[in-house]
mmCIF file of all heavy atoms in Angstrom:
data_model
loop_
_atom_site.group_PDB
_atom_site.id
_atom_site.type_symbol
_atom_site.label_atom_id
_atom_site.label_comp_id
_atom_site.label_asym_id
_atom_site.label_seq_id
_atom_site.Cartn_x
_atom_site.Cartn_y
_atom_site.Cartn_z
ATOM 1 N N VAL D 15 2.275 -2.583 8.923
ATOM 2 C CA VAL D 15 1.774 -3.236 7.760
ATOM 3 C C VAL D 15 3.050 -3.867 7.116
ATOM 4 O O VAL D 15 4.143 -3.497 7.203
ATOM 5 C CB VAL D 15 1.047 -2.329 6.802
ATOM 6 C CG1 VAL D 15 1.995 -1.292 6.300
ATOM 7 C CG2 VAL D 15 0.468 -3.009 5.642
ATOM 8 N N HIS D 16 2.777 -5.008 6.347
ATOM 9 C CA HIS D 16 3.914 -5.676 5.735
ATOM 10 C C HIS D 16 4.704 -4.843 4.736
ATOM 11 O O HIS D 16 5.888 -4.606 4.923
ATOM 12 C CB HIS D 16 3.441 -6.952 5.073
ATOM 13 C CG HIS D 16 4.662 -7.693 4.393
ATOM 14 N ND1 HIS D 16 5.696 -8.136 5.074
ATOM 15 C CD2 HIS D 16 4.894 -7.888 3.078
ATOM 16 C CE1 HIS D 16 6.589 -8.645 4.331
ATOM 17 N NE2 HIS D 16 6.126 -8.509 3.030
ATOM 18 N N ALA D 17 3.951 -4.401 3.719
ATOM 19 C CA ALA D 17 4.801 -3.720 2.625
ATOM 20 C C ALA D 17 4.602 -2.188 2.605
ATOM 21 O O ALA D 17 5.555 -1.502 2.393
ATOM 22 C CB ALA D 17 4.250 -4.272 1.286
ATOM 23 N N GLY D 18 3.466 -1.660 2.962
ATOM 24 C CA GLY D 18 3.295 -0.266 2.944
ATOM 25 C C GLY D 18 1.844 0.066 2.559
ATOM 26 O O GLY D 18 0.904 -0.829 2.524
ATOM 27 N N ILE D 19 1.537 1.293 2.304
ATOM 28 C CA ILE D 19 0.232 1.749 1.782
ATOM 29 C C ILE D 19 0.368 2.586 0.577
ATOM 30 O O ILE D 19 1.391 3.103 0.293
ATOM 31 C CB ILE D 19 -0.392 2.587 2.945
ATOM 32 C CG1 ILE D 19 0.351 3.903 3.191
ATOM 33 C CG2 ILE D 19 -0.614 1.766 4.264
ATOM 34 C CD1 ILE D 19 -0.346 4.843 4.141
ATOM 35 N N ARG D 20 -0.736 2.656 -0.159
ATOM 36 C CA ARG D 20 -0.811 3.612 -1.311
ATOM 37 C C ARG D 20 -1.119 5.030 -0.802
ATOM 38 O O ARG D 20 -2.090 5.236 -0.138
ATOM 39 C CB ARG D 20 -1.828 3.130 -2.282
ATOM 40 C CG ARG D 20 -1.805 3.883 -3.624
ATOM 41 C CD ARG D 20 -2.611 3.175 -4.687
ATOM 42 N NE ARG D 20 -1.910 1.873 -5.066
ATOM 43 C CZ ARG D 20 -0.871 1.880 -5.875
ATOM 44 N NH1 ARG D 20 -0.315 3.041 -6.386
ATOM 45 N NH2 ARG D 20 -0.280 0.767 -6.136
ATOM 46 N N PRO D 21 -0.181 5.971 -1.015
ATOM 47 C CA PRO D 21 -0.438 7.216 -0.554
ATOM 48 C C PRO D 21 -1.683 7.873 -0.945
ATOM 49 O O PRO D 21 -2.209 7.617 -2.118
ATOM 50 C CB PRO D 21 0.799 8.011 -1.187
ATOM 51 C CG PRO D 21 1.835 6.993 -1.370
ATOM 52 C CD PRO D 21 1.063 5.802 -1.752
ATOM 53 N N GLY D 22 -2.337 8.678 -0.080
ATOM 54 C CA GLY D 22 -3.538 9.385 -0.425
ATOM 55 C C GLY D 22 -4.791 8.602 -0.155
ATOM 56 O O GLY D 22 -5.909 9.194 -0.366
ATOM 57 N N ILE D 23 -4.704 7.312 0.191
ATOM 58 C CA ILE D 23 -5.950 6.557 0.438
ATOM 59 C C ILE D 23 -6.021 6.157 1.939
ATOM 60 O O ILE D 23 -4.982 5.690 2.484
ATOM 61 C CB ILE D 23 -5.818 5.247 -0.402
ATOM 62 C CG1 ILE D 23 -5.792 5.629 -1.887
ATOM 63 C CG2 ILE D 23 -7.002 4.266 -0.108
ATOM 64 C CD1 ILE D 23 -5.656 4.437 -2.842
ATOM 65 N N PRO D 24 -7.194 6.417 2.484
ATOM 66 C CA PRO D 24 -7.310 5.979 3.991
ATOM 67 C C PRO D 24 -7.019 4.559 4.161
ATOM 68 O O PRO D 24 -7.187 3.704 3.324
ATOM 69 C CB PRO D 24 -8.792 6.339 4.246
ATOM 70 C CG PRO D 24 -9.250 7.297 3.193
ATOM 71 C CD PRO D 24 -8.359 6.993 1.889
ATOM 72 N N ILE D 25 -6.518 4.309 5.313
ATOM 73 C CA ILE D 25 -6.004 2.941 5.633
ATOM 74 C C ILE D 25 -7.108 1.905 5.537
ATOM 75 O O ILE D 25 -6.926 0.786 4.916
ATOM 76 C CB ILE D 25 -5.459 2.847 7.096
ATOM 77 C CG1 ILE D 25 -4.117 3.640 7.095
ATOM 78 C CG2 ILE D 25 -5.141 1.392 7.460
ATOM 79 C CD1 ILE D 25 -3.565 3.798 8.409
ATOM 80 N N LYS D 26 -8.368 2.246 5.943
ATOM 81 C CA LYS D 26 -9.432 1.224 5.738
ATOM 82 C C LYS D 26 -9.804 0.986 4.355
ATOM 83 O O LYS D 26 -10.490 -0.032 4.084
ATOM 84 C CB LYS D 26 -10.681 1.728 6.604
ATOM 85 C CG LYS D 26 -10.546 1.593 8.037
ATOM 86 C CD LYS D 26 -11.831 2.030 8.736
ATOM 87 C CE LYS D 26 -11.850 1.660 10.233
ATOM 88 N NZ LYS D 26 -13.104 2.063 10.927
ATOM 89 N N ARG D 27 -9.396 1.812 3.461
ATOM 90 C CA ARG D 27 -9.731 1.596 2.118
ATOM 91 C C ARG D 27 -8.565 1.120 1.243
ATOM 92 O O ARG D 27 -8.668 1.005 0.029
ATOM 93 C CB ARG D 27 -10.288 2.873 1.506
ATOM 94 C CG ARG D 27 -11.555 3.424 1.986
ATOM 95 C CD ARG D 27 -11.967 4.778 1.578
ATOM 96 N NE ARG D 27 -11.951 4.793 -0.023
ATOM 97 C CZ ARG D 27 -11.910 5.952 -0.710
ATOM 98 N NH1 ARG D 27 -11.886 7.149 -0.009
ATOM 99 N NH2 ARG D 27 -11.920 5.867 -1.966
ATOM 100 N N GLN D 28 -7.408 0.758 1.856
ATOM 101 C CA GLN D 28 -6.350 0.192 1.179
ATOM 102 C C GLN D 28 -6.654 -1.118 0.538
ATOM 103 O O GLN D 28 -7.328 -2.003 1.108
ATOM 104 C CB GLN D 28 -5.126 0.102 2.098
ATOM 105 C CG GLN D 28 -4.536 1.400 2.628
ATOM 106 C CD GLN D 28 -3.712 2.079 1.602
ATOM 107 O OE1 GLN D 28 -3.003 1.530 0.713
ATOM 108 N NE2 GLN D 28 -3.770 3.419 1.596
ATOM 109 N N ARG D 29 -6.081 -1.386 -0.678
ATOM 110 C CA ARG D 29 -6.261 -2.682 -1.325
ATOM 111 C C ARG D 29 -5.233 -3.691 -0.702
ATOM 112 O O ARG D 29 -4.112 -3.407 -0.337
ATOM 113 C CB ARG D 29 -5.923 -2.587 -2.791
ATOM 114 C CG ARG D 29 -6.885 -1.699 -3.516
ATOM 115 C CD ARG D 29 -6.443 -1.549 -5.051
ATOM 116 N NE ARG D 29 -6.339 -2.806 -5.716
ATOM 117 C CZ ARG D 29 -5.266 -3.253 -6.138
ATOM 118 N NH1 ARG D 29 -4.082 -2.796 -5.955
ATOM 119 N NH2 ARG D 29 -5.348 -4.482 -6.861
ATOM 120 N N LYS D 30 -5.701 -4.897 -0.466
ATOM 121 C CA LYS D 30 -4.862 -5.985 0.025
ATOM 122 C C LYS D 30 -3.589 -6.106 -0.720
ATOM 123 O O LYS D 30 -2.489 -6.327 -0.080
ATOM 124 C CB LYS D 30 -5.624 -7.264 0.114
ATOM 125 C CG LYS D 30 -4.893 -8.445 0.713
ATOM 126 C CD LYS D 30 -5.757 -9.762 0.702
ATOM 127 C CE LYS D 30 -5.013 -10.857 1.442
ATOM 128 N NZ LYS D 30 -5.892 -12.092 1.466
ATOM 129 N N ASP D 31 -3.636 -6.096 -1.964
ATOM 130 C CA ASP D 31 -2.451 -6.353 -2.820
ATOM 131 C C ASP D 31 -1.418 -5.216 -2.458
ATOM 132 O O ASP D 31 -0.199 -5.521 -2.463
ATOM 133 C CB ASP D 31 -2.734 -6.208 -4.280
ATOM 134 C CG ASP D 31 -3.314 -7.586 -4.823
ATOM 135 O OD1 ASP D 31 -3.297 -8.557 -4.047
ATOM 136 O OD2 ASP D 31 -3.691 -7.667 -6.000
ATOM 137 N N ASP D 32 -1.835 -3.929 -2.303
ATOM 138 C CA ASP D 32 -0.917 -2.919 -1.913
ATOM 139 C C ASP D 32 -0.270 -3.125 -0.524
ATOM 140 O O ASP D 32 0.882 -2.936 -0.321
ATOM 141 C CB ASP D 32 -1.590 -1.536 -1.940
ATOM 142 C CG ASP D 32 -1.804 -0.993 -3.370
ATOM 143 O OD1 ASP D 32 -1.020 -1.446 -4.278
ATOM 144 O OD2 ASP D 32 -2.769 -0.283 -3.641
ATOM 145 N N LEU D 33 -1.110 -3.495 0.439
ATOM 146 C CA LEU D 33 -0.605 -3.727 1.814
ATOM 147 C C LEU D 33 0.491 -4.837 1.746
ATOM 148 O O LEU D 33 1.370 -4.743 2.661
ATOM 149 C CB LEU D 33 -1.779 -4.099 2.785
ATOM 150 C CG LEU D 33 -2.855 -3.089 2.914
ATOM 151 C CD1 LEU D 33 -4.055 -3.620 3.655
ATOM 152 C CD2 LEU D 33 -2.297 -1.726 3.575
ATOM 153 N N LEU D 34 0.292 -5.768 0.893
ATOM 154 C CA LEU D 34 1.271 -6.842 0.899
ATOM 155 C C LEU D 34 2.459 -6.773 -0.169
ATOM 156 O O LEU D 34 3.483 -7.341 0.050
ATOM 157 C CB LEU D 34 0.537 -8.238 0.473
ATOM 158 C CG LEU D 34 -0.571 -8.669 1.455
ATOM 159 C CD1 LEU D 34 -1.206 -9.898 0.937
ATOM 160 C CD2 LEU D 34 -0.047 -8.835 2.910
ATOM 161 N N TRP D 35 2.237 -5.806 -1.197
ATOM 162 C CA TRP D 35 3.214 -5.976 -2.284
ATOM 163 C C TRP D 35 3.819 -4.645 -2.678
ATOM 164 O O TRP D 35 4.893 -4.530 -3.384
ATOM 165 C CB TRP D 35 2.505 -6.526 -3.487
ATOM 166 C CG TRP D 35 2.224 -7.981 -3.508
ATOM 167 C CD1 TRP D 35 1.082 -8.554 -2.962
ATOM 168 C CD2 TRP D 35 3.090 -9.097 -3.748
ATOM 169 N NE1 TRP D 35 1.094 -9.926 -3.039
ATOM 170 C CE2 TRP D 35 2.311 -10.276 -3.519
ATOM 171 C CE3 TRP D 35 4.376 -9.181 -4.360
ATOM 172 C CZ2 TRP D 35 2.852 -11.543 -3.766
ATOM 173 C CZ3 TRP D 35 4.859 -10.493 -4.531
ATOM 174 C CH2 TRP D 35 4.105 -11.608 -4.244
ATOM 175 N N ILE D 36 3.197 -3.499 -2.260
ATOM 176 C CA ILE D 36 3.648 -2.157 -2.888
ATOM 177 C C ILE D 36 5.019 -1.934 -2.578
ATOM 178 O O ILE D 36 5.566 -2.298 -1.429
ATOM 179 C CB ILE D 36 2.709 -1.071 -2.216
ATOM 180 C CG1 ILE D 36 2.877 0.220 -3.135
ATOM 181 C CG2 ILE D 36 2.978 -0.808 -0.793
ATOM 182 C CD1 ILE D 36 1.747 1.251 -2.776
ATOM 183 N N ARG D 37 5.748 -1.194 -3.431
ATOM 184 C CA ARG D 37 7.121 -0.743 -3.153
ATOM 185 C C ARG D 37 7.242 0.579 -3.560
ATOM 186 O O ARG D 37 7.090 1.609 -2.748
ATOM 187 C CB ARG D 37 8.132 -1.642 -3.931
ATOM 188 C CG ARG D 37 8.290 -2.984 -3.381
ATOM 189 C CD ARG D 37 9.501 -3.742 -3.994
ATOM 190 N NE ARG D 37 9.503 -5.167 -3.773
ATOM 191 C CZ ARG D 37 9.886 -5.801 -2.667
ATOM 192 N NH1 ARG D 37 10.396 -5.107 -1.737
ATOM 193 N NH2 ARG D 37 9.839 -7.187 -2.692
ATOM 194 N N GLY D 38 7.637 0.899 -4.840
ATOM 195 C CA GLY D 38 8.038 2.229 -5.244
ATOM 196 C C GLY D 38 7.141 3.408 -4.916
ATOM 197 O O GLY D 38 7.577 4.434 -4.395
ATOM 198 N N GLU D 39 5.861 3.272 -5.253
ATOM 199 C CA GLU D 39 4.919 4.379 -4.973
ATOM 200 C C GLU D 39 4.896 4.757 -3.512
ATOM 201 O O GLU D 39 4.782 5.967 -3.118
ATOM 202 C CB GLU D 39 3.465 4.021 -5.442
ATOM 203 C CG GLU D 39 3.332 3.726 -6.931
ATOM 204 C CD GLU D 39 3.488 2.184 -7.117
ATOM 205 O OE1 GLU D 39 4.268 1.490 -6.488
ATOM 206 O OE2 GLU D 39 2.850 1.708 -8.041
ATOM 207 N N PHE D 40 5.089 3.811 -2.650
ATOM 208 C CA PHE D 40 5.105 4.030 -1.192
ATOM 209 C C PHE D 40 6.488 4.564 -0.746
ATOM 210 O O PHE D 40 6.644 5.468 -0.038
ATOM 211 C CB PHE D 40 4.679 2.818 -0.493
ATOM 212 C CG PHE D 40 4.861 2.845 1.038
ATOM 213 C CD1 PHE D 40 4.197 3.751 1.876
ATOM 214 C CD2 PHE D 40 5.788 2.025 1.604
ATOM 215 C CE1 PHE D 40 4.459 3.746 3.268
ATOM 216 C CE2 PHE D 40 6.080 1.968 3.002
ATOM 217 C CZ PHE D 40 5.446 2.907 3.824
ATOM 218 N N ILE D 41 7.465 3.743 -1.083
ATOM 219 C CA ILE D 41 8.849 4.021 -0.567
ATOM 220 C C ILE D 41 9.286 5.449 -0.995
ATOM 221 O O ILE D 41 9.988 6.110 -0.269
ATOM 222 C CB ILE D 41 9.812 2.964 -1.207
ATOM 223 C CG1 ILE D 41 9.461 1.548 -0.604
ATOM 224 C CG2 ILE D 41 11.201 3.285 -0.797
ATOM 225 C CD1 ILE D 41 9.538 1.437 0.793
ATOM 226 N N ASN D 42 8.879 5.862 -2.248
ATOM 227 C CA ASN D 42 9.455 7.160 -2.713
ATOM 228 C C ASN D 42 8.498 8.297 -2.376
ATOM 229 O O ASN D 42 8.862 9.444 -2.683
ATOM 230 C CB ASN D 42 9.508 7.030 -4.237
ATOM 231 C CG ASN D 42 10.564 6.031 -4.707
ATOM 232 O OD1 ASN D 42 11.558 5.856 -4.017
ATOM 233 N ND2 ASN D 42 10.246 5.316 -5.853
ATOM 234 N N SER D 43 7.374 8.015 -1.739
ATOM 235 C CA SER D 43 6.493 9.131 -1.399
ATOM 236 C C SER D 43 6.964 10.026 -0.271
ATOM 237 O O SER D 43 7.538 9.482 0.690
ATOM 238 C CB SER D 43 5.088 8.485 -0.978
ATOM 239 O OG SER D 43 4.231 9.510 -0.485
#
């Protein structure tokens, strides 16, 4: 994925904005 995923959420339910833009919540998890 480009940017990452929001922890705790199944991949199929990830928000597009998170897949493209997420940083800290994913990087630090």
Side-chain angles (χ1 to χ4, degrees):
V15 63
H16 176 65
I19 64 173
R20 186 163 295 278
I23 298 177
I25 291 173
K26 284 187 175 181
R27 293 174 54 197
Q28 292 285 327
R29 296 173 61 247
K30 182 178 181 180
D31 281 354
D32 284 334
L33 296 174
L34 298 181
W35 292 91
I36 197 168
R37 290 194 195 275
E39 300 95 325
F40 167 68
I41 297 298
N42 298 324
S43 175

